[in-house]
Amino acid sequence: MVLEIVVMIKQVPDSQEVVIDPVTFTLNRSAARNVINPADENAIEAALRIKDKVGAHITVITMGPPFAESALIDCMSRGVDDAVLVSDRAFAGADTYPTGLTLAACIKKLGKYDIIFAGEESTDSSTGHVGPGVAEFLGTDQASYTSESWYDNGFVYAKRELEDGTEVVKMKPPTLITVLTNANDPRRATLRMKIDATKKGIKTMTLADLGMPPEWVGLKGSPTVVKSMKAIDEKKREGKKFKLEEIPKLVDELIEKKIISI
Amino acid sequence: MSEFDVIVVGAGPAGASAAIKLATSGSSVLLVERGDPPGSKNVSGGVLWGDSMGSVIPDWEKTAPMERYVEAKGVSFLTKDSKISIDFRSRKLQERRSGYTVLRTKLDQWLAKKAKDSGAMVAAGITVDKLAFKADQVIGVEQDGDVITSDVVILAEGANPRVAINSGIREKLVDRDVAIGVKEIIKLPEKTITERFNLTSPKMGFASEYVLGFLDGGVKAGGFIYTNKESISLGLVISMKEMRENNNTRSFDLIEQFKEHPYIAPLIEGGRVDEYSAHMVQEGGIKSVPQLYGNGYMIVGDGAGFSFSNGMVLQGMNYAIASGIAAAESAMKAKIKSNFSKGSLSSYEERLKSSFVLQDLMNFKGIEDVTWSDMIHRGIPNISEELFLSLFSENGQPKKHLYNNLIRSIGSSEVPRKDMIINMYRMLRRM
Ligand SMILES: Cc1cc2nc3c(=O)[nH]c(=O)nc-3n(C[C@H](O)[C@H](O)[C@H](O)COP(=O)(O)OP(=O)(O)OC[C@H]3O[C@@H](n4cnc5c(N)ncnc54)[C@H](O)[C@@H]3O)c2cc1C
Ligand SMILES: Cc1cc2nc3c(=O)[nH]c(=O)nc-3n(C[C@H](O)[C@H](O)[C@H](O)COP(=O)(O)OP(=O)(O)OC[C@H]3O[C@@H](n4cnc5c(N)ncnc54)[C@H](O)[C@@H]3O)c2cc1C
């Protein structure tokens, strides 16, 4: 049986091109072109490396507007086999909860899944909720903050980068893995694969295809309510200078202010 | 059987026009572009002169993302303290057709979409490595080790033709055939632009070329300003030869000097630089045009050296489009005959010879010697500055005849009189 891998990707405005409106302090997203969320590029590469080693069938999915098509074709041009765009007006305004729920429903619809990859977090909202959310909705194991993962003899292994070291976890599929930004060096699309991908095209799923009640998705299904937003003025920090021989005094002060502890 | 009738490399105006023409006529076309989205690698801005686009997209004037229609065209000589200009405005210019200012990021994306809608397959974000050969026949392109086959390849890769060079079908570029263009897009409100440039409506635009006779160290460069809807394209072109002769002068230093000129600064005051880019410009004229076709391939646009600059206008997009269409027509004819040999594709050059593309290049042979001459960059600006100063100032001295003033002004120029006369003659002959 071939290993089934699903990669979840999100389109985000290119952070290098996002302009912050000097008056309202909001992001002017329209000015920036859309790119694949950087961590998701690494998630795709992680999936492709497993496919290179042991063979797999990879499906990439995204929930978003129709213009996500070119990003999906781009994924297929690197070696991903199939792509699904989950798109419906009803999904608009989703917060992280219905986003995860919708993606989980899509993955179930696809049939068998062994490994699900997600980026650690997006660059435009950066909650890091969606990956773990999907794992919870599907009831699978999960490994977050991973820099590397592999498949061997029926088990999925993932190397997690933690504050005090690294941890390798061994899991039985199905499992969900979130991948750190810059975990690997993503490969580029080739012309041959781009031609094949363009011919093959992507699949689309709507709310009706997923068979979810409309009140579970989009704005209606979102428990978060944004009450207000304001730009935060950067507080000028008061600096304090210490001479070299005063370092013990500095340490004392830092301990006193609970900035460090020994 | 080839996978495609035609593969087009590069989705600038030349490649996109070829692809649209071919796809609309039912050929199977693959258009490959390095930038994703198309246009992201191109220097935004410029004036699209004429109506070349009309023969591929008849309703382009209504649907293409144009900025402003050029109702005012200027040519200026700048010295350190002065600006001597022609500022031509005429309602007749609109009837005769001038051009539209465009932003390439928008235009190229639109063209690529047109190509896709006409049935071409567009592969963006992919760089072609080289042509693929079988014996001496081009059979497609090579990318990342794969060969994609087609009956004909149209190379539309722009001013830096690496594919053609890597494939051994053309010589390397030499310094004297290339110039560097640098450009900034400066944001300004639509209303400010319309007012500052005295335009009759927000739809109308101003385009001007500048001879920059005042740059530090006597560096010769040509400047330009084009008005877009809500921005100004400002930049300059400097020949590679000139760069090297001046110890690799930095182009961004020059652009600053241009922007700080007393009569340029007020035009861009309050504007914010939104984009900065640099790009090669072909300046070699007819002598730098390579072999344009061969077994299974044709070269179009900037990659073929098709551009025209005489210090008063800088044109390339119109030649790019016209040559793209000519190549598409020849490819279609070759398909009917099922003959993709050099002989069969030679009709491409015939088409160019009977159109403005090669005729302009032949008629203006050697013009680059004039455009980069001391006379243009120092002689004319200095002489006219002197002349107009004596004509337009009043210092209580008895007035002289215009002729005497002119002779005196020529005498005050640092350019030797003999050189002036030779260049004046050349200019009249070649311009
Ligand atoms: C308080 C709050 C309110 C919000 N309100 C709105 C709103 O009103 N309207 C609105 O449109 N958005 C809203 N958002 C944004 C929206 O919730 C998120 O963009 C989306 O749910 C994904 O969250 P994230 O970007 O934080 O993803 P993260 O959890 O940081 O992303 C991690 C990974 O999950 C995967 N992933 C995330 N999103 C998708 C997706 N769409 N498809 C496939 N994979 C995905 C990717 O692999 C990604 O790398 C809100 C967010 C918050 C925190
Ligand atoms: C500063 C400046 C100002 C100018 N102003 C004007 C003006 O006002 N009016 C005017 O008419 N002309 C102007 N020009 C000239 C004009 O830009 C060019 O003549 C015109 O763009 C040529 O079109 P093209 O399609 O041949 O090449 P390009 O527009 O350069 O397009 C070539 C395309 O090929 C792609 N490409 C290259 N190599 C590969 C590869 N290996 N694989 C895949 N894709 C590849 C590139 O990314 C690019 O998109 C100006 C040029 C400069 C630099």
Side-chain angles (χ1 to χ4, degrees):
Chain A
M1 269 267 272
V2 64
L3 203 59
E4 287 289 342
I5 302 180
V6 177
V7 188
M8 307 195 290
I9 67 154
K10 182 184 182 187
Q11 285 236 78
V12 294
D14 189 344
S15 55
Q16 283 166 4
E17 287 178 25
V18 172
V19 191
I20 297 181
D21 189 310
V23 180
T24 61
F25 291 108
T26 51
L27 296 182
N28 180 1
R29 287 163 195 254
S30 58
R33 70 195 172 118
N34 287 289
V35 296
I36 299 174
N37 180 43
D40 303 358
E41 297 261 7
N42 302 107
I44 294 161
E45 182 60 31
L48 289 170
R49 288 186 183 182
I50 292 182
K51 180 179 171 179
D52 290 345
K53 277 234 172 87
V54 298
H57 173 266
I58 306 177
T59 307
V60 54
I61 66 171
T62 189
M63 180 182 107
F67 65 73
E69 178 177 353
S70 70
L72 292 173
I73 295 279
D74 194 66
C75 297
M76 290 169 75
S77 314
R78 300 181 208 189
V80 165
D81 301 281
D82 283 295
V84 179
L85 171 66
V86 189
S87 195
D88 199 308
R89 284 198 171 278
F91 298 142
D95 69 14
T96 55
Y97 189 89
T99 300
L101 198 59
T102 309
L103 291 169
C106 167
I107 293 169
K108 269 195 196 150
K109 262 273 167 311
L110 293 175
K112 177 178 171 275
Y113 52 90
D114 298 302
I115 311 174
I116 302 161
F117 279 103
E120 189 58 52
E121 60 177 43
S122 67
T123 48
D124 62 342
S125 306
S126 32
T127 63
H129 290 177
V130 175
V134 169
E136 287 302 316
F137 290 128
L138 293 173
T140 70
D141 284 343
Q142 56 172 297
S144 51
Y145 298 103
T146 69
S147 58
E148 224 183 308
S149 47
W150 60 97
Y151 180 85
D152 189 30
N153 239 332
F155 287 96
V156 180
Y157 297 81
K159 191 166 158 193
R160 306 182 65 217
E161 303 294 330
L162 305 175
E163 267 175 37
D164 42 5
T166 58
E167 174 184 275
V168 175
V169 292
K170 177 178 174 183
M171 298 169 290
K172 233 185 158 45
T175 182
L176 185 140
I177 295 174
T178 66
V179 179
L180 289 168
T181 313
N182 297 329
N184 48 37
D185 189 8
R187 71 195 64 184
R188 296 177 59 111
T190 73
L191 182 55
R192 166 61 65 213
M193 284 199 275
K194 191 141 226 168
I195 293 168
D196 294 345
T198 310
K199 282 186 186 155
K200 190 168 185 180
I202 64 162
K203 298 187 184 76
T204 312
M205 282 193 193
T206 59
L207 180 66
D209 296 324
L210 296 181
M212 295 168 80
E215 60 275 14
W216 286 15
V217 300
L219 195 57
K220 279 193 206 141
S222 298
T224 355
V225 180
V226 181
K227 281 176 80 178
S228 74
M229 274 207 248
K230 66 174 186 207
I232 297 169
D233 292 330
E234 211 179 311
K235 265 216 194 100
K236 232 186 144 61
R237 300 200 183 199
E238 39 181 298
K240 207 167 175 182
K241 278 190 182 156
F242 290 88
K243 292 212 178 75
L244 205 59
E245 57 275 16
E246 290 172 333
I247 285 183
K249 213 171 110 201
L250 164 67
V251 174
D252 285 344
E253 239 180 84
L254 289 175
I255 293 171
E256 193 185 311
K257 295 212 163 129
K258 296 207 161 63
I259 293 170
I260 59 168
S261 66
I262 322 186
Chain B
M1 247 313 257
S2 301
E3 292 167 77
F4 295 92
D5 291 333
V6 181
I7 296 176
V8 181
V9 180
S17 308
I20 295 169
K21 178 85 194 173
L22 284 160
T24 334
S25 327
S27 297
S28 69
V29 186
L30 173 65
L31 176 61
V32 192
E33 166 58 44
R34 183 164 58 120
D36 187 14
S40 53
K41 300 267 176 197
N42 293 329
V43 167
S44 319
V47 180
L48 175 56
W49 296 99
D51 183 29
S52 312
M53 192 96 94
S55 57
V56 271
I57 308 164
D59 67 346
W60 72 279
E61 285 185 272
K62 291 199 196 78
T63 53
M66 296 293 140
E67 294 293 313
R68 289 174 187 251
Y69 188 73
V70 177
E71 69 164 340
K73 177 74 183 82
V75 180
S76 295
F77 294 91
L78 299 182
T79 65
K80 191 167 152 286
D81 304 303
S82 316
K83 166 170 159 276
I84 303 114
S85 300
I86 295 170
D87 180 343
F88 184 71
R89 290 164 197 251
S90 170
R91 281 183 299 208
K92 287 188 181 150
L93 185 60
Q94 296 172 45
E95 291 157 24
R96 295 252 190 106
R97 184 179 281 287
S98 57
Y100 291 90
T101 55
V102 296
L103 289 170
R104 288 290 299 279
T105 23
K106 286 190 201 161
L107 179 66
D108 288 15
Q109 260 188 76
W110 181 81
L111 284 170
K113 186 167 180 302
K114 279 276 162 191
K116 192 175 167 206
D117 293 347
S118 339
M121 183 186 285
V122 181
I126 306 273
T127 305
V128 167
D129 300 327
K130 52 185 177 192
L131 293 171
F133 287 89
K134 189 171 179 185
D136 62 352
Q137 178 77 25
V138 169
I139 54 154
V141 300
E142 223 182 286
Q143 201 276 331
D144 204 18
D146 298 318
V147 171
I148 320 293
T149 58
S150 65
D151 294 334
V152 175
V153 176
I154 295 179
L155 283 182
E157 51 180 332
N160 189 7
R162 266 177 295 190
V163 172
I165 294 167
N166 291 343
S167 311
I169 58 164
R170 71 159 292 160
E171 306 277 298
K172 283 211 173 99
L173 300 173
V174 292
D175 273 7
R176 61 169 300 157
D177 294 346
V178 274
I180 296 286
V182 285
K183 169 171 323 177
E184 291 184 357
I185 304 279
I186 300 169
K187 278 271 184 205
L188 277 171
E190 185 179 43
K191 199 160 156 270
T192 310
I193 293 174
T194 308
E195 285 169 6
R196 261 185 212 178
F197 292 89
N198 282 324
L199 299 166
T200 55
S201 92
K203 287 196 164 70
M204 293 297 171
F206 167 83
S208 185
E209 256 64 30
Y210 297 84
V211 173
L212 308 180
F214 67 99
L215 299 172
D216 284 355
V219 177
K220 292 174 210 142
F224 56 83
I225 288 182
Y226 311 131
T227 55
N228 306 312
K229 272 200 192 91
E230 298 181 319
S231 64
I232 288 173
S233 299
L234 176 150
L236 53 83
V237 176
I238 174 170
S239 74
M240 207 64 166
K241 191 164 152 267
E242 191 66 22
M243 289 269 265
R244 292 223 210 279
E245 281 171 7
N246 289 283
N247 304 322
N248 292 319
T249 300
R250 290 192 298 189
S251 50
F252 47 91
D253 287 342
L254 299 178
I255 213 171
E256 285 311 314
Q257 291 178 45
F258 180 30
K259 283 165 70 181
E260 282 163 14
H261 188 277
Y263 298 107
I264 298 297
L267 298 176
I268 53 172
E269 199 195 302
R272 174 172 53 93
V273 177
D274 216 32
E275 249 179 65
Y276 180 91
S277 48
H279 202 273
M280 273 194 199
V281 184
Q282 289 274 359
E283 285 245 320
I286 190 85
K287 67 181 179 328
S288 69
V289 172
Q291 173 62 34
L292 292 170
Y293 57 92
N295 292 321
Y297 75 86
M298 286 173 274
I299 306 180
V300 299
D302 263 15
F306 298 153
S307 66
F308 177 74
S309 133
N310 65 356
M312 291 194 254
V313 285
L314 169 57
Q315 301 191 341
M317 289 186 270
N318 47 339
Y319 296 97
I321 294 169
S323 61
I325 295 168
E329 285 167 348
S330 293
M332 279 153 25
K333 203 174 140 208
K335 189 185 170 189
I336 295 169
K337 294 186 294 177
S338 272
N339 180 352
F340 307 103
S341 67
K342 185 172 179 180
S344 172
L345 296 177
S346 66
S347 70
Y348 169 51
E349 191 167 312
E350 296 311 314
R351 275 173 226 277
L352 294 177
K353 275 187 180 150
S354 63
S355 85
F356 68 99
V357 179
L358 275 179
Q359 284 186 17
D360 283 358
L361 277 174
M362 289 189 281
N363 290 341
F364 293 92
K365 196 172 149 195
I367 193 161
E368 56 290 350
D369 296 337
V370 178
T371 24
W372 295 106
S373 67
D374 282 347
M375 184 198 61
I376 291 275
H377 285 265
R378 274 188 282 285
I380 293 185
N382 294 343
I383 292 166
S384 30
E385 180 180 45
E386 231 358 84
L387 176 67
F388 292 124
L389 278 175
S390 36
L391 284 176
F392 302 146
S393 60
E394 178 56 69
N395 54 6
Q397 299 292 317
K399 291 184 176 47
K400 293 200 178 79
H401 279 290
L402 179 62
Y403 175 77
N404 293 341
N405 268 325
L406 183 61
I407 294 297
R408 201 179 62 80
S409 306
I410 291 179
S412 74
S413 157
E414 47 190 89
V415 180
R417 219 175 282 196
K418 195 173 116 234
D419 289 4
M420 290 284 294
I421 292 166
I422 294 173
N423 270 316
M424 197 81 87
Y425 172 75
R426 269 199 200 149
M427 183 175 84
L428 292 174
R429 293 276 310 165
R430 293 183 187 174
M431 257 188 183

